[in-house]
Amino acid sequence: MIYVALKMLFGDRGKFAGLVFGIAFTSFLVTFAASYFAGFMTRGFALLTENGTADVWVMDPAVSSVDQACNMPWSALNRVRSVAGVKAGVPLALGTAEVRFPNGRFQPFQVIGVDDATLAGVPPIGNGVSSRLLRQPDTVVVDPGGTSGKLATPANPADQWPHDGPHLEVPSRELRSGDDLLVNDHRVVVVGVSQGVPRFPPRPLIYLALGNAERILPPERRRLTFVLASAAQAVTAQELARRIQEATGFRARTSADFKADTVRWLLVNSEDVGDIAAMLSLALSVGFGVTGIMLYIFTQENLRQYAVLTAMGTTPRVLLLMVFAQAGVCALIGTGLGIGLCGIAGEAAVMAGYPFRMMWYTPLFGSAMVLVVSVVAAALSARPVLKLRATSVFAAR
C-alpha cells in the first residue's frame, strides 16, 4: 500500500511540488536561523578564541561573560602566578576609548592591552607585519572587529589633521601601517591591521602593549581585567582552575567553561536571541501553513481513492500509514533541498561578513523542526480519511 500512496503522491505533480517547496522553505529558514545564531554566539567569545593557548581565565568573582568584565588589582597577577601548578600567567586588560581620525572623525574602539613580554592575544597581522612592533612606544594594531567602514581615514594628505576644522565628507581609504590616530589626545602610530575573529556585537578594536596602554589611557586604580594562566605538566585545566579559585578567591574558569558561561549570558541578556526566536517561529508557522494546507487539499482530492481502498477492507492503520508515508517522502526530499540551499546561502553570507556558522547540530535541528511540522500536518490531513472509514462502517450497519 505504500507503493499505491507514493503513486498517488507523484501523480499530482503540482501538489507534490507545493509540498516539497513548503518543507524545503521551512528547512532552509530554520537551519539558516540556527546557523546564524551559532555564528553570533561564536563571535560572542571571540576574545577567548584568539587566546586559545590559555588554559584558565582568572577574573573578578562577579564576571560571567567575557564582554561584561570588571578590573582587578595588579596584585592578582602575582597571586595567580604563585599558585602551585601554574606554569605561566600573563595579564590582559580591556577598555574603551574614543579614537580621533586625521580628518576629525571620532570612533569608539575596544582597547585590548596585551602582555609586553609575550604579546599573547594579538591576532595575525596582515602583510607579514610582526607583532613585536607593539613593543615600540605609542604603537597600535587595529582590527575591524566585524565592522565595515569603521577604519576609514582620509585618502588625501591635505585632509589629514586640517587647521580649518574637520574634513568629514572627503574621500577615504582603510587604515594601514604608518597612519596616525589620536587616543585621549595621545598620538599613536598604526603598525598594522590584524585579521582577528569578528566580534558580536561588531566593534573596531585596538591592540597595544600594556605599557603603552597605561601611558595612553586615562589612569585607573585597577587596570587588569583577566589573568591568563597555563597549566604545568601533569596538571589539568580543571584542577588548576580549582586551585586558583581556592587560593586567591578570584573566579577561575577553563576556556571551554568560560565560553559556555558567555553563551549562557548572551542567551539571557542579548536581544538578538528574541529576534532569532521570532525568525524560527515565523519559519515554523509558514512551513506548517504551506505544508498543512497542501497536504490537506491533496488528501481531500484523493478521498475517492481512499474510499475505494476502504471498501476493499483497508484498515485505518494502513490508511494512516499511507498518509504519513506521503508526508515522510515530501519531508525527506524537502529537508535535503532546504539544507543544501542553506549551505549555499551560508557561503554567500560568510563572504558578506554575516555571522553564519553551520555547526553539526544546526542541520539536525532543522530536520527535527521539519519532522514536527510534517507529523502535525499529516495528522490533521488524516482526519478526513479516518472519518471516511467511520462513515463507511456506519453505512454498512
Side-chain angles (χ1 to χ4, degrees), residues 77-150:
L77 180 59
N78 290 329
R79 292 176 63 186
V80 171
R81 287 173 173 173
S82 66
V83 175
V86 174
K87 180 180 179 181
V90 296
L92 186 70
L94 303 182
T96 319
E98 296 287 344
V99 176
R100 183 76 64 175
F101 284 77
N103 63 335
R105 180 177 68 89
F106 71 90
Q107 173 68 48
F109 275 70
Q110 182 181 40
V111 179
I112 302 175
V114 299
D115 180 44
D116 296 69
T118 62
L119 299 177
V122 180
I125 305 174
N127 299 323
V129 177
S130 174
S131 61
R132 289 177 294 181
L133 293 175
L134 286 178
R135 296 194 179 103
Q136 299 177 4
D138 301 331
T139 54
V140 299
V141 168
V142 296
D143 191 293
T147 62
S148 177
K150 301 296 186 182

Side-chain angles (χ1 to χ4, degrees), residues 180-328:
D180 296 338
L181 296 172
L182 278 182
V183 182
N184 293 323
D185 292 330
H186 286 267
R187 173 185 172 273
V188 297
V189 179
V190 177
V191 297
V193 179
S194 62
Q195 302 167 351
V197 181
R199 272 23 181 201
F200 179 83
R203 54 191 178 274
L205 313 170
I206 279 184
Y207 295 87
L208 73 170
L210 269 171
N212 286 327
E214 290 184 324
R215 185 169 56 254
I216 293 172
L217 297 179
E220 291 186 26
R221 187 170 61 90
R222 297 185 173 189
R223 176 69 66 189
L224 181 64
T225 309
F226 297 106
V227 177
L228 279 55
S230 56
Q233 191 173 4
V235 179
T236 64
Q238 292 284 356
E239 173 64 19
L240 183 61
R242 185 189 63 80
R243 292 183 187 180
I244 293 174
Q245 193 155 314
E246 290 178 354
T248 65
F250 294 111
R251 190 165 188 254
R253 303 288 285 168
T254 66
S255 293
D257 291 340
F258 199 20
K259 288 179 180 179
D261 293 342
T262 301
V263 169
R264 281 192 291 269
W265 186 90
L266 287 171
L267 287 173
V268 173
N269 296 278
S270 176
E271 296 179 355
D272 294 274
V273 175
D275 296 338
I276 296 297
M279 186 183 298
L280 289 173
S281 301
L282 177 63
L284 292 176
S285 300
V286 172
F288 174 73
V290 174
T291 305
I293 291 173
M294 294 298 295
L295 190 58
Y296 186 84
I297 293 175
F298 176 82
T299 305
Q300 284 285 341
E301 291 184 353
N302 287 277
L303 282 179
R304 181 175 298 179
Q305 286 83 345
Y306 286 117
V308 172
L309 293 173
T310 301
M312 294 172 61
T314 305
T315 63
R317 181 179 179 182
V318 174
L319 294 176
L320 279 177
L321 184 62
M322 293 176 64
V323 174
F324 276 90
Q326 293 168 349

